DNA sequence: GAATAAAAACCGACTGGTAGGATTATAACC
DNA sequence: GGTTATAATCCTACCAGTCGGTTTTTATTC
């Protein structure tokens, strides 16, 4: 028997799941509360019972999704033994068959467009980026300690690696006709590998 | 005395300039035709005389802006003598005091969010990316010919360089509190420099 | 070089539809 | 029977696009 709180949790997950799907499909401006309510098997009124405004719902949905992606990133990374392979463990970001990928990129683009103007969304984006960077930073740090990565500023390096993934993802997703998956994987591998190599002696 | 066509050109530029400002400010979904009309010193009706729909106007504005940025990129690049410095000539993208920068990023984010769903905008994005890549590709090619860049696939390399710029720009613009301009410049310089260096011998 | 006709540019009120939020009604449950 | 959950309406604001009409410009004619 579901207690009060249980039902609330269930409903909220239901709604957020539906919201994520619809948001991904249509974008935060074009999606309507009715769309989301219907997709969640509720009416608008029912939805209003759990989320008092569209803003609130949308933000909750984004936050939920970013958390999910972060967790997944962490798990994937943890399965890699050595630091460098950890840094290169994000190739799942470039897989058309992955449901998170198909759902996620439109959401991410939306979030960025919102973040370009709205400080609240900027904070959301910041948090997400931050968690990702911390993850990478640890790996860089470990790599330095083990001597497989040359001494450097781990934080700056982690940010650069993260940004490279992001930049390549952008192109891969939005301009797929000229940016193949092979290109994406090859490019991030090469760029990141070189970024954590010793600088070659002067020619 | 202005001929027919002259006035039309003037007005269209007027409108597009106003549209770009307003689009950058508010985003394509939140901006209204009235806003743009007013900013252009026209009424809604007057605006309708030149652009038959919001869609059309927005797209024209984006296209115009991307053209402008491309031209600027080209000019900046052409002023660099050697191939590698050409590849590194985009540091103006990370300058808060640049008006194109302040205007441009919100536009770019909007365009990407639109492109994530709408093929028309995807085509726009594609064209812009393409022009940029061609520019970089030429420099890479020249570098290979001159022997300052190791043999490689110039197109793939150009795409990677371009994506790196873009990725770093993203972070720099959206998460400014943890991504300084110094970080941005240092990171793209390092990443791209390494990307066009000879691979160091095995350790 | 006026006078007039024709066309282009422009205005602003109106319309139809939409969507977010609020209110009210109803069902379920303790 | 009162509290919670949900549905069904309603209200209001907003906005893209339209359209009749007005002003301004251009062309034409005498």
């Amino acid at each position: 028997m579901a207690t009060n709180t249980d039902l609330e949790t269930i409903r909220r997950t239901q709604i957020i799941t539906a919201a994520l799907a619809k948001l991904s499909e249509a974008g935060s401006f074009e999606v309507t509360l009715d769309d989301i309510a219907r997709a969640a098997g509720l009416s608008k009124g029912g939805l209003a019972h759990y989320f008092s405004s569209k803003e609130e719902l949308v933000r909750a949905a984004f936050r939920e999704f970013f958390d999910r992606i972060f967790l997944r990133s962490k798990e994937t990374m943890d399965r890699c033994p050595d630091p460098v392979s950890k840094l290169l463990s994000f190739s799942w970001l470039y897989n058309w068959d992955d449901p998170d990928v198909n759902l996620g990129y439109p959401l991410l683009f939306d979030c960025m467009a919102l973040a370009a103007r709205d400080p609240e969304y900027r904070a959301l984006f910041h948090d997400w980026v931050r968690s990702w960077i911390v993850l990478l930073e640890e790996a860089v740090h470990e790599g330095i300690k083990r001597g497989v990565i040359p001494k450097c500023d781990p934080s700056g390096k982690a940010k650069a690696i993260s940004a490279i993934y992001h930049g390549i993802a952008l192109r891969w997703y939005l301009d797929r006709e000229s940016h193949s998956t092979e290109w994406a994987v090859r490019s991030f591998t090469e760029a990141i590998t070189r970024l954590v190599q010793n600088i070659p002696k002067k020619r």
Side-chain angles (χ1 to χ4, degrees), chain A:
Chain A
M1 17 98 206
T3 74
N4 244 346
T5 340
D6 276 345
L7 178 61
E8 171 144 5
T9 312
I10 289 169
R11 283 279 180 277
R12 288 182 86 95
T13 332
Q14 227 174 50
I15 292 171
I16 285 194
T17 306
L20 283 173
K22 288 294 161 185
L23 275 170
S24 174
E25 214 178 288
S28 65
F29 289 102
E30 282 165 308
V31 87
T32 71
L33 289 179
D34 220 45
D35 287 343
I36 296 174
R38 257 192 245 267
L42 282 175
S43 75
K44 244 172 67 169
L47 199 158
H49 182 72
Y50 295 97
F51 294 93
S52 59
S53 78
K54 189 182 180 181
E55 260 293 295
E56 191 193 325
L57 169 56
V58 169
R59 237 177 348 236
F62 276 131
R63 188 142 259 153
E64 163 68 25
F65 182 73
F66 284 149
D67 283 354
R68 222 159 77 195
I69 291 301
F70 168 70
L71 263 164
R72 183 163 170 197
S73 300
K74 187 168 164 48
E75 278 164 15
T76 314
M77 212 166 153
D78 284 347
R79 256 183 265 117
C80 296
D82 67 296
V84 174
S85 69
K86 271 182 209 285
L87 298 179
L88 297 170
S89 69
F90 290 82
S91 58
W92 61 274
L93 288 173
Y94 312 107
N95 175 15
W96 289 114
D97 298 327
D98 190 300
D100 279 344
V101 162
N102 282 294
L103 189 77
Y105 281 94
L107 290 170
L108 179 56
F109 288 120
D110 247 45
C111 181
M112 293 192 298
L114 290 164
R117 284 140 194 137
D118 184 337
E120 299 257 17
Y121 283 97
R122 202 134 65 205
L124 191 67
F125 183 75
H126 167 81
D127 289 349
W128 177 64
V129 164
R130 167 131 203 77
S131 62
W132 195 359
I133 290 172
V134 168
L135 230 51
L136 291 167
E137 198 176 330
E138 279 163 14
V140 172
H141 196 76
E142 202 193 326
I144 297 173
K145 221 170 54 190
R146 290 210 210 163
V148 291
I149 292 176
K151 255 212 164 89
C152 62
D153 162 35
S155 168
K157 194 72 90 174
K159 283 174 194 168
I161 292 170
S162 174
I164 289 172
Y165 269 118
H166 200 159
I168 289 174
L170 265 180
R171 301 300 175 88
W172 172 75
Y173 189 84
L174 291 181
D175 188 17
R176 37 199 99 168
E177 79 184 84
S178 33
H179 297 76
S180 68
T181 302
E182 296 73 48
W183 167 82
V185 173
R186 182 169 20 94
S187 295
F188 90 75
T189 309
E190 196 177 355
I192 292 169
T193 308
R194 288 179 178 230
L195 216 48
V196 296
Q197 269 174 345
N198 280 301
I199 299 162
K201 43 214 70 181
K202 296 266 155 66
R203 286 178 303 106

